[in-house]
Amino acid sequence: MSNVPRLQVEVYSHGGWWKDSQGRSGQIPPAQASRGPMATIATVANGFGTEGWMLTDLVSAHHNTYLLSFEAVSGDAESDHATGQTLRKPV
């Protein structure tokens, strides 16, 4: 079993509210949330991505609720020369 830090985030697409498995919660800006469920999920996932979390799973739950799973990534990044993107390795 891996000891990679994991995080679960529950996203309520109507209103843009989210809460994570570490007890934190928040809301994305209403202008972004009003663009639809996928825009809400993308905004939340991007926010956690910039904090060093890699999205590993997305499950559509009930009543416009989504469960996002993340793994922590290391600070060691390597460049994908074909796409020009920076890739991070799981911790």
Side-chain angles (χ1 to χ4, degrees):
M1 180 168 224
S2 174
N3 62 356
V4 173
R6 298 181 191 284
L7 182 70
Q8 298 262 319
V9 180
E10 196 169 351
V11 179
Y12 307 96
S13 63
H14 289 303
W17 290 96
W18 60 267
K19 65 180 180 179
D20 72 16
S21 57
Q22 295 180 347
R24 300 177 298 177
S25 63
Q27 184 179 22
I28 67 166
Q32 188 68 25
S34 68
R35 294 182 180 187
M38 290 300 108
T40 299
I41 291 167
T43 300
V44 172
N46 186 52
F48 282 94
T50 60
E51 291 179 6
W53 294 97
M54 177 177 61
L55 183 65
T56 59
D57 196 21
L58 168 64
V59 177
S60 175
H62 55 86
H63 304 293
N64 291 311
T65 302
Y66 298 84
L67 183 62
L68 285 64
S69 298
F70 294 89
E71 287 184 0
V73 292
S74 71
D76 297 334
E78 47 181 61
S79 179
D80 180 345
H81 297 292
T83 64
Q85 294 179 326
T86 299
L87 305 175
R88 295 183 178 260
K89 299 177 187 175
V91 174

